[in-house]
């Protein structure tokens, strides 16, 4: 057991590190507090792509490096270490691109993949709908075939990250309401600038707008933009979701604030408190700090699997469950020690980071799978506990709509 | 044994609910966040309604009611996240007791007051131009300047206050006990507002869980959702019992008030926080959008827990009182 | 709002109190630590019955007083106040007797009810089985009609309080496996001394044996001992369970240790601790003490309903949920402050009360309805949330057994 | 990055499991409660197996292995609630480091030792006749008399010890740091035993939830049961990561050991307690019977949380170390 790189990993890390040092000034900074510039972000990603640091695990004929998940994890670590801003096309790389690789035509692959990796096109993923969150297959966005063989699409998607900047999206639609709900779905690539596509930012409780609603109003999509067979959309979507999990990569990274930064913050406020209160603060810090340590080393176990070429299974969901809980405990403590400032949106000296964090975290326990759904996944696929009986089994989508209205 | 509201109090609750659901709503809280719109119903409407000054004697133009009466109203105010807080009026009515003129000014709205504690945010600093404060053992009414600051919950009118000492008049000398009593009454009323907010948050969560479908059935049929809501229900009913007891103690059993006020302050903070977190969680994605009301209850919870002493200190006080009681 | 008796209640209380004072020496003491003497316990109950303090809410023609639930609650309070030991036939009075009153023949009523109230006969309730806990209707004890019209009963019951002392029991059996499980049940009165009845004490994790297993091995029960119609046992059992809830009566009573006694215990140990640790102990005490206060006043709301003649609904289950949790928190604290003695079964001076309490409480969160079942009841019957789909709907008991084995 | 057990350690785990499942079981813990039967496998069998003295150098007749090796074995010991604890051997091996003769006596079973801390129950006092103790800054081996007392968990051999000072020999002078190191290694091994007990408790709970039916389906299909077990699973895996880290730190990174040992002690107490409570709860009525194993895991949890410092102190220590680290 050791925490060191293998010789191969060390060589790769050193290559990555020197590239980042050399090109530091051409890349954005994570810690940069100025407003987001998407054109700059596209340029930064292109620089990284040209250095071989984007699409590390993608096959070479898709424009990638044919590398290992561990190499990707090392890139992630080094990007974080060098304070390089996150890639603008993360969703494209992690979810949309792999879906095109598995299910796209040769024509689609050649048109889209390399441009995606260089962020010449930015992509988004259009799955969730207002009436289908955890139950994705209940979606209603309708695609109807027209006489010329193209598709006419109407409906509404929601929780779409980057839709306002995206050039393309992968779009899951219902093409047949008269079969069971998982069977009537079809996936498309959609041009986000096409007539009939409207994007509206969706503001969150924290005040930020990291998501969008997207409305499709008789949007025409040629049949050549279909991904996979008609009616096979659910299987295609599973590829997307599986890729999402694999793209997580960086084990041991912290959700929300780092435990160390909270410890620093607490340390700065501890002296002013009476000993009794200090003991209570320490108890809360100790509990969440142990949680943060446990998450870090559980992440290292995941990385070790990657390092051996194994892929993470559903047990990786445990990291999100534990991570969001630790993040909430830490944020709560960080706000509490602000004392008289804790009820305000910003401290007297204008810092609002802890209060903002507090308002972002409830959403993180929901986005990317609610805690309830993650617990079901672990319970059923890791512990082998039986699934619940399904109320929507053996009926068509149309019937399920009718019974819902009843 | 008759530990229940009477018919008169039920009528009062219904009347307060009618007025308050007309005069305020969580949407007003959102508007205050969006563009600094004034909180609703606002001081004037609250005073004119008579609900704010229920505990002011009739002779001074108030309602001549009990703290329990005010708590019944405060629960309704909490349901719609109304502002300013009835806490401010409740404390002022105690602090000005016997001072006919100033009580009358409180009741007719000409005295626009906030209560300033040792440190920390002043509730309803917004708009106030006179401030009640403890100086030594005297209760003092002073002018001053309130600086309202962006709060996590805008409806509390929180701000910092700089007192203008030149202007200060002693309202009651050697009155530390009265000050403490007023603070305890304030905690009871704060908890009653918390009860209202928590029980409304529960209602909204239950309605959504009855209607929203996932995998072919209402999400409220899933134990994860159902049991989370039940745990909130149990806490809300426990809190209701404590609010009634504490309000009754404020009126009838001053010996029990210190323990009851600390207990109800703590329970209210814990319950409202759990109710609001559950409300967000049960709603899934929609629950953390700006346009949904869930975060407005959540904001109230995140702020109220720190007002009139925080929950941690209140639990500590309960324990100290409990230990003192058995050691006596 | 007040906590005082109405004039009627005060008069009743004073009558109860003087009776108890007058007969104090003829009654057992709750605080008596000596072994349990069931013959004495029967005599004590007879004394109380003769004073009109047993079966307060029972109709007069059943041997009761025709009184109100509030009168019963006052009796409970005064018995506690006077340190009078609990009635031996509590289950008989609260559950078995009412079932006979509602569903028994005139002959059964005259033979059983008055003797039950005077504890000339002690009763037990034979419902739960090893394979049917929360899901009571899944029970398997079989009653088969013989040629002479009597019934032959075989099977096993469990969690039967007092079975080892009982003279009679009410026994829920399956008389028809070929209908849906709720429909094939029939209730009987069984003579616990009949041939074929075997009682075996069931030891709990605390070391105590408050329950029994009861085995029925071809026990013959005459048809005249049937309670209600053949196949109507589920409805009869609901009467029993409903009566159980109504018999709870005493709102505001504490489960496990009283908060005051824990506060005393904590106070005695607080001085030896450093201030930081004292603050942590106070925080734990404060939280559970608030819970205990809330339970007390919620109980008073229940009593107030009784006082007005209303009956408690399913919301009364909240008291058990909250009460067992508070009791566990308090017991945990009480054990923790024992310091070096906390890991032992008894303190250095031989007291084992806190450790014993700690071991009893997990069972209390299960007996009388698991927390999960109570939450379902409140969720569905108080909050109006929908029930889960039932996997055992529309199939016969026999089919459900077969599918369970599959 | 290779944060995983290697093949040799997996083989060691399998061998330990074979030996320990033969030599001990929760039923032995029940027998010890019932009639004071000796704990199993017992000191002699453990020493003979070689597993107990893995960390004693080969030259002295031990296994010459690492703390991580011992932790791997300790996890298996925890699964069957084996006694005496490997903590005792682990600490003794550190305290006697360099003392060839006494280490050999530990490894051949002729030295029957327990480690005595400042106050509180002595682990494996049962049967011991020599005691390691810190006197000033010296590590001392003394005779003494152990009074075994009824413990909530009988397998820990807890007792009070009266030392016979006349008999005391200094084992290592001026060795406070070594004493502290030994205590930390003890915490790591205790946590590894806790990991084994917790993961076994989880397994038993999962098996039952898969088989037990209620209302026509397995109770593990209900979210209340499923999610409770998942929460335990998540905690157990988190604990496993901490145990590996802390054991690795004991062997390879002494600077990290203070934080790691405190963290793993705390996490182990919390995790085992939740695992055991869940085990009881998931089993319903059967779960709180004497004959079911659930309470034996519950007893282990209720005792272990207080050994080598309690969980509350361990969390406090983590916080102090974390704050000191960022303040340095």
């Amino acid at each position: 057991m050791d925490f060191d790189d293998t010789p191969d990993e060390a060589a790769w890390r050193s290559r990555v590190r020197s590239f980042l040092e050399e090109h530091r000034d051409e890349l954005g900074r994570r810690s940069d507090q100025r407003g987001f510039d998407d054109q700059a972000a596209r340029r930064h990603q292109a620089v990284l792509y040209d250095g071989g640091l984007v699409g590390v695990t993608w096959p070479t004929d898709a424009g990638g490096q044919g590398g290992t998940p561990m190499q990707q994890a090392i890139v992630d670590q080094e990007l974080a270490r060098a304070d390089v801003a996150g890639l603008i096309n993360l969703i494209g790389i992690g979810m949309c691109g792999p879906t095109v690789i598995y299910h796209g035509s040769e024509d689609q692959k050649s048109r889209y993949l390399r441009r995606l990796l260089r962020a010449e096109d930015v992509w988004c993923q259009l799955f969730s709908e207002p009436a289908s969150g955890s139950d994705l297959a209940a979606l209603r966005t309708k695609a109807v075939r027209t006489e010329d063989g193209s598709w006419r699409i109407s409906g509404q998607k929601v929780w779409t990250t980057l839709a306002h900047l995206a050039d393309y999206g992968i779009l899951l639609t219902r093409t047949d309401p008269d079969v069971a709900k998982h069977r009537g779905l079809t996936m498309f690539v959609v041009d986000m600038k096409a007539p009939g596509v409207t994007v509206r930012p969706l503001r969150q409780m924290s005040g930020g707008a990291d998501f969008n609603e997207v409305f499709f109003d008789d949007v025409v999509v040629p049949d050549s933009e279909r991904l996979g067979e008609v009616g096979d959309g659910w299987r295609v979507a599973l590829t997307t979701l599986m890729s999402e999990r694999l793209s997580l990569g960086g084990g041991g990274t912290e959700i929300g604030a780092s435990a160390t930064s909270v410890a620093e913050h607490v340390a700065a406020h501890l002296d002013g408190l009476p000993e009794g209160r200090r003991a209570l603060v320490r108890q809360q810090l100790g509990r969440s700090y142990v949680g943060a340590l446990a998450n870090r080393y559980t992440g290292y176990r995941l990385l070790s699997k990657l390092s051996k070429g194994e892929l993470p299974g559903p047990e990786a969901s445990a990291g999100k469950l534990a991570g969001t809980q630790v993040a909430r405990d830490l944020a709560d403590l960080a706000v509490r020690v602000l004392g008289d400032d804790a009820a305000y949106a910003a401290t007297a000296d204008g810092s609002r980071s802890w209060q903002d964090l507090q308002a972002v975290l409830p959403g993180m326990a929901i986005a990317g799978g609610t805690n309830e759904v993650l617990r079901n996944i672990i319970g059923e696929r890791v512990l082998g506990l039986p699934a619940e009986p399904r109320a929507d089994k053996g009926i068509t989508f149309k019937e399920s709509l009718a019974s819902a209205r009843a | 044994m008759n530990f229940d509201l009477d018919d008169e109090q039920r009528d009062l609750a219904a009347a307060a609910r009618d007025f308050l659901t007309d005069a305020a709503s969580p949407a007003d809280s959102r508007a205050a966040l969006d563009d600094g719109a004034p909180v609703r119903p606002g001081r004037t409407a609250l005073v004119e309604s008579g609900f704010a000054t229920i505990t002011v004697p009739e002779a001074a133009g108030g309602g001549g009611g009990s703290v329990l009466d005010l708590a019944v109203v405060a629960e309704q105010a909490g349901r719609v996240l109304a502002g300013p807080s009835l806490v401010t009026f409740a404390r002022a009515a105690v602090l000005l007791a016997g001072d006919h003129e100033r009580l009358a000014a409180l009741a007719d709205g000409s005295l626009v007051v906030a209560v300033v504690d040792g440190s920390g945010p002043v509730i309803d600093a917004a708009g106030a131009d006179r401030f009640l404060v403890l100086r030594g053992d005297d209760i003092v009414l002073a002018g001053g300047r309130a600086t309202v600051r962006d709060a996590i919950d805008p409806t509390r009118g929180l701000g910092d206050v700089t007192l203008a000492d030149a202007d200060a008049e002693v309202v009651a000398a050697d009155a530390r006990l009265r000050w403490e009593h007023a603070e305890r009454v304030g905690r009871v009323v704060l908890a009653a507002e918390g009860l209202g907010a928590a029980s409304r948050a529960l209602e909204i969560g239950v309605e959504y869980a009855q209607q929203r479908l996932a995998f072919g059935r209402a999400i409220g049929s899933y134990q994860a959702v159902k049991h989370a809501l039940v745990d909130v229900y149990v806490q809300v009913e426990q809190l209701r019992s404590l609010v009634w007891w504490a309000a009754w103690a404020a009126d009838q059993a001053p010996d029990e008030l210190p323990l009851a006020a600390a207990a109800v302050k703590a329970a209210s903070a814990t319950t409202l926080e759990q109710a609001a977190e559950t409300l967000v969680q049960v709603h899934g994605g929609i629950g953390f959008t700006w346009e949904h009301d869930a975060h407005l209850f959540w904001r109230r919870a995140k702020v109220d827990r720190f007002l009139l002493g925080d929950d941690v200190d209140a639990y500590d006080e309960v324990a100290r009182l409990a230990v003192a009681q058995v050691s006596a």
Side-chain angles (χ1 to χ4, degrees), chain A, chain B:
Chain A
M1 183 176 291
D2 62 67
F3 294 93
D4 303 332
D5 286 332
T6 64
D8 280 357
E9 288 163 10
W12 172 253
R13 186 183 300 280
S14 130
R15 204 196 113 187
V16 172
R17 198 173 286 185
S18 18
F19 179 86
L20 293 179
E21 274 163 22
E22 199 175 323
H23 296 268
R24 189 65 201 80
D25 296 342
E26 301 159 56
L27 300 167
R29 284 190 186 277
R30 197 164 293 198
S31 55
D32 191 343
Q33 296 291 322
R34 284 169 305 173
F36 177 71
D37 175 348
D38 70 296
Q39 290 307 323
R42 287 176 192 239
R43 281 196 307 277
H44 299 153
Q45 182 172 331
V47 170
L48 290 171
Y49 178 72
D50 295 342
L53 304 190
V54 178
V56 172
T57 61
W58 282 30
T60 48
D61 60 4
Q65 301 295 318
T68 65
M70 190 62 198
Q71 287 181 320
Q72 178 65 58
I74 288 172
V75 169
D76 293 343
Q77 289 170 349
E78 292 301 317
L79 290 173
R81 185 178 170 280
D83 191 34
V84 175
L87 299 184
I88 185 172
N89 224 356
L90 214 56
I91 289 169
I93 301 164
M95 305 179 71
C96 307
T99 310
V100 173
I101 293 174
Y102 280 103
H103 300 285
S105 64
E106 288 311 311
D107 176 54
Q108 286 171 319
K109 290 187 204 177
S110 66
R111 275 189 290 127
Y112 291 134
L113 294 175
R114 207 168 300 256
R115 289 180 57 85
L116 183 159
L117 288 175
R118 293 195 88 238
E120 291 162 29
D121 300 328
V122 168
W123 286 61
C124 65
Q125 184 245 61
L126 299 145
F127 286 13
S128 291
E129 296 186 6
S132 66
S134 300
D135 182 9
L136 178 59
L139 62 86
R140 299 178 184 193
T141 292
K142 203 167 56 175
V144 180
R145 198 147 204 173
T146 59
E147 286 181 8
D148 67 357
S150 67
W151 300 81
R152 188 175 292 276
I153 297 176
S154 293
Q156 181 190 351
K157 296 289 176 176
V158 76
W159 310 121
T160 316
T161 306
L162 281 187
H164 59 302
L165 301 177
D167 303 287
Y168 295 96
I170 58 173
L171 172 65
L172 191 58
T173 67
R174 181 166 308 282
T175 44
D176 186 352
D178 293 317
V179 293
K181 65 181 182 180
H182 291 82
R183 301 192 183 283
L185 306 178
T186 304
M187 186 82 81
F188 295 95
V189 174
V190 64
D191 179 351
M192 293 296 287
K193 314 296 181 201
V197 179
T198 311
V199 177
R200 203 153 69 187
L202 191 61
R203 204 163 162 208
Q204 298 129 247
M205 60 186 271
S206 61
D210 300 323
F211 304 101
N212 299 277
E213 297 177 291
V214 182
F215 298 87
F216 294 89
D217 194 8
D218 282 336
V219 176
V220 176
V221 174
D223 192 51
S224 58
E225 293 301 1
R226 181 159 43 74
L227 278 176
E229 298 304 310
V230 174
D232 207 23
W234 183 247
R235 209 170 58 89
V236 178
L238 288 183
T239 308
T240 316
L241 299 173
M242 204 86 76
S243 306
E244 178 181 30
R245 193 202 301 145
L246 298 183
S247 78
L248 290 178
T253 54
E254 288 171 297
I255 295 172
S258 82
T260 307
S261 68
V262 173
E264 279 169 11
H265 169 70
V266 166
H269 286 80
L270 212 50
D271 283 346
L273 301 172
E275 167 55 15
R277 194 63 187 247
R278 279 207 298 266
L280 291 164
V281 168
R282 283 197 307 267
Q283 195 66 197
Q284 190 175 355
L285 176 63
R287 285 177 190 267
S288 40
Y289 204 85
V290 168
L293 289 169
N295 284 341
R296 180 193 301 167
Y297 289 98
T298 303
Y300 289 166
R301 285 168 61 200
L302 205 71
L303 280 183
S304 303
K305 279 196 161 187
L306 290 182
S307 177
K308 286 181 202 154
E310 297 170 35
L311 291 178
E315 76 279 3
S317 298
K320 200 205 155 200
L321 269 180
T324 50
Q325 189 52 54
V326 166
R328 293 173 83 162
D329 291 345
L330 284 168
D332 182 68
L333 175 61
V335 170
R336 276 182 181 276
V337 296
L338 293 175
D340 289 345
D341 280 344
Y344 290 117
T347 57
D349 58 12
S351 152
R352 40 191 309 147
S353 53
W354 301 113
Q355 290 92 332
D356 283 353
L357 180 64
Q358 176 177 245
V360 164
L361 291 174
M364 294 193 55
I366 293 167
T370 65
N371 286 347
E372 289 74 24
V373 166
L374 295 179
R375 286 193 176 95
N376 285 346
I377 290 174
I378 296 174
E380 289 157 28
R381 294 178 35 207
V382 181
L383 298 183
L385 295 169
E388 296 202 67
R390 290 285 293 266
D392 52 1
K393 225 170 163 174
I395 60 171
T396 71
F397 179 71
K398 216 183 236 168
E399 287 164 351
S400 74
L401 276 189
S403 75
R405 282 196 206 94
Chain B
M1 170 78 56
N2 177 27
F3 185 53
D4 197 358
L5 302 183
D6 61 27
D7 286 343
E8 227 166 292
Q9 283 153 346
R10 285 179 210 283
D11 291 345
L12 177 64
R17 189 164 187 154
D18 284 348
F19 166 70
L20 285 158
T21 44
D22 262 9
S25 80
D28 297 322
S29 167
R30 187 184 295 105
L33 282 168
D34 275 332
D35 46 24
V39 303
R40 299 249 296 143
R43 232 176 249 263
T44 313
L46 263 184
V47 168
E48 280 173 4
S49 75
F51 289 121
T53 51
I54 281 182
T55 56
V56 171
E58 286 181 88
S66 64
V67 173
L68 181 56
D69 293 333
L70 186 60
V72 161
V73 173
E75 180 185 346
Q76 301 305 322
R79 291 175 58 87
V80 294
L81 306 179
S85 175
L86 295 173
V87 168
T88 299
F89 296 97
R91 288 179 80 181
V94 174
L95 294 173
L96 299 174
D99 185 337
H100 181 85
E101 205 170 315
R102 290 199 181 93
L103 282 173
L106 184 68
D108 70 18
S110 55
L111 176 60
V112 180
V113 73
V115 183
V116 178
D117 290 302
S119 85
V122 175
I123 305 175
D124 299 323
D129 55 14
R130 301 290 284 168
F131 302 93
L132 284 157
V133 61
L134 187 69
R135 279 282 159 80
D137 285 339
D138 300 340
I139 296 167
V140 165
L141 185 64
R145 199 168 42 82
T147 316
V148 176
R149 284 167 56 189
D150 271 1
I152 289 171
D153 176 2
T155 65
R156 288 312 195 186
L158 300 186
D160 299 331
V161 170
T162 315
L163 293 171
D165 284 346
D167 204 13
E169 311 159 284
V170 172
V171 166
D174 212 16
R176 176 174 289 275
L177 288 179
R178 189 197 290 186
W179 179 269
E180 288 172 357
H181 182 71
E183 192 177 353
R184 288 181 183 126
V185 169
R187 283 179 153 196
V188 176
V189 175
L190 182 72
E193 291 183 341
L195 170 64
S199 68
R200 181 63 191 137
L202 172 63
E203 279 175 25
I204 298 173
V206 167
E207 281 163 27
Y208 187 74
Q210 286 167 332
Q211 286 158 19
R212 170 80 181 184
L213 303 181
F215 305 105
R217 53 183 169 116
I219 60 170
S221 68
Y222 293 97
Q223 287 186 336
V225 172
K226 182 180 291 174
H227 293 186
L229 289 168
V230 166
D231 287 346
V232 172
Y233 165 79
V234 172
Q235 277 204 35
V236 165
E237 289 308 311
Q238 302 279 79
L239 175 58
R240 186 183 308 283
S241 307
L242 289 174
V243 166
W244 289 1
W245 169 48
W248 171 85
D251 294 322
Q252 310 279 343
D255 286 358
E256 295 183 33
L257 184 59
L259 179 62
V264 81
K265 155 70 211 181
S268 173
T270 304
T271 300
L272 179 53
E273 204 170 350
Q274 191 180 335
E277 297 276 9
T278 303
L279 178 63
V280 173
Q281 186 68 24
V282 161
H283 276 77
I286 194 83
F288 64 93
T289 59
W290 189 261
E291 294 309 320
H292 194 277
D293 288 350
H295 74 102
L296 304 166
F297 288 88
W298 181 93
R299 287 169 182 279
R300 174 62 73 92
K302 291 298 169 187
V303 166
D304 271 16
R305 61 189 182 149
F306 296 133
L307 302 182
L308 300 180
D310 80 350
D311 45 352
V312 172
D313 279 345
Y315 283 119
D316 191 77
E317 195 179 333
V318 168
R320 286 176 190 274
L321 290 167
V323 165
Q325 227 165 45
V326 297
S327 310

